Amino acid sequence: HNFVLDTTKVNDMNHAATFIGDKSNITMNIYTQEPGLQFYSGNFMAGENTFKSGAKDDFRTAFAAETQHFPDAPNQPEFPSIVLEPGEEYHTVSVYEFSVTDE
């Protein structure tokens, strides 16, 4: 799923997401200059791989959150442009900030 980010800025970046571990109390905040966040929920993980801890990658045991422009942007004129002309450079920053709460 691709999410369009709110344009509220924190230090010149979009606050894209906050994730909180239900067992670890680890919090991850994502800030980015990108307009969108692609989220993968692990719906098709099937226990075929083993994590470093020895646990299996069962259904929804992991996720991915990628900051980016919108899928199909070249074909959607109302989306932010992803065109990069010859000689132009593209630079963007995303920050993945981790903390632990004591609860």
Side-chain angles (χ1 to χ4, degrees), residues 18-29 97-103:
T18 299
F19 298 98
I20 302 171
D22 61 341
K23 295 178 182 172
S24 66
N25 288 327
I26 295 173
T27 298
M28 178 175 65
N29 280 294
E97 175 186 83
F98 293 86
S99 62
V100 178
T101 56
D102 296 324
E103 290 184 15

Side-chain angles (χ1 to χ4, degrees), residues 39-52:
F39 180 79
Y40 301 94
S41 61
N43 285 347
F44 300 102
M45 298 171 82
E48 297 173 2
N49 299 293
T50 304
F51 293 133
K52 187 176 178 180

